[in-house]
Amino acid sequence: MSRQHKENHLVSRIGWLRAAVLGANDGIVSTASLIVGVASAAQGASDIIVAGVAGLVAGAMSMAAGEYVSVSSQSDTEQADLVRERMELETQPEFEREELAQIYVQRGLSPELAAQVADQLMAKDALEAHARDELGLSETTTARPVQAALTSAATFSAGAAMPLLAAVLAPAGTQVWVTSIASLVFLAVLGAIGAWAGGANVLRATWRVTFWGALAMAITAGIGGLVGQAV
């Protein structure tokens, strides 16, 4: 009896990994930028902490709502396509069978074999076959709004807590530098972890995340300094 070879592909992580990395990255960058901007405006320590906490809570809620709405829109589109495909299978099955066969021909099968494959797959589950091979939908890529919203909110909060903690522990007058340096370290670690989990190039991902985070904090610090001088 042959043994089944089971593979765990990294693409199965796309849904939650994207939301997790996006949430944590936004949490670190936005909260750190907010803290650095307020600190650059020469505000007191209590104002800096209040701004950081407010940024954490508001950002987490915004991420959750934004992810839920955007992924729900994707889910609605997927469901609409499935409804349309189901109707077409009921009203013109022969056309749909030929359409599926042509997809397999374009992938390299002979017309005869493609027709046989289409017949067998449609006999088992016609809608699933068309959803996967015509629409490009699968269990791995299916939109999951609640999962995306919760993942983004949780990871944003975790990411935002890091620069906030650095600001709380930083000696008076050093919040800008301590928060900036700590946040860049956090971003580098996040980029490395995200790349490792997704099987991507670790150095490239780390550099990309760190560079854009540093740029965001630098711009915010500059604007905060200008506003502080003007006020």
Side-chain angles (χ1 to χ4, degrees), residues 42-227:
Q43 300 298 316
S46 61
D47 295 328
I48 296 172
I49 303 304
V50 169
V53 172
L56 186 156
V57 175
M61 296 301 99
S62 176
M63 286 293 295
E67 280 290 308
Y68 184 81
V69 170
S70 63
V71 179
S72 291
S73 297
Q74 177 187 340
S75 180
D76 292 342
T77 301
E78 292 176 357
Q79 293 305 315
D81 276 341
L82 290 175
V83 169
R84 185 182 302 108
E85 196 64 33
R86 185 180 292 108
M87 292 178 59
E88 292 175 350
L89 286 169
E90 293 175 354
T91 57
Q92 43 189 349
E94 290 302 323
F95 175 81
E96 290 298 311
R97 180 179 287 104
E98 177 63 24
E99 186 177 39
L100 193 61
Q102 286 301 316
I103 292 175
Y104 299 141
V105 169
Q106 293 172 5
R107 292 181 181 177
L109 298 185
S110 66
E112 296 77 13
L113 181 56
Q116 293 178 20
V117 171
D119 287 339
Q120 292 186 29
L121 290 179
M122 289 185 66
K124 179 181 179 182
D125 191 330
L127 183 60
E128 180 185 0
H130 281 269
R132 181 182 61 249
D133 295 323
E134 182 183 346
L135 303 179
L137 303 178
S138 68
E139 181 64 23
T140 300
T141 59
T142 297
R144 296 179 176 85
V146 175
Q147 181 191 67
L150 294 178
T151 300
S152 293
T155 53
F156 183 97
S157 299
M162 297 178 187
L164 180 58
L165 180 62
V168 170
L169 299 178
T174 65
Q175 285 91 348
V176 171
W177 293 109
V178 171
T179 301
S180 298
I181 294 173
S183 296
L184 290 177
V185 173
F186 298 145
L187 285 170
V189 172
L190 173 65
I193 293 175
W196 172 80
N201 184 288
V202 174
L203 290 178
R204 184 184 302 118
T206 302
W207 162 250
R208 181 174 59 226
V209 171
T210 305
F211 170 78
W212 288 107
L215 181 62
M217 286 185 286
I219 293 174
T220 309
I223 295 175
L226 292 174
V227 172

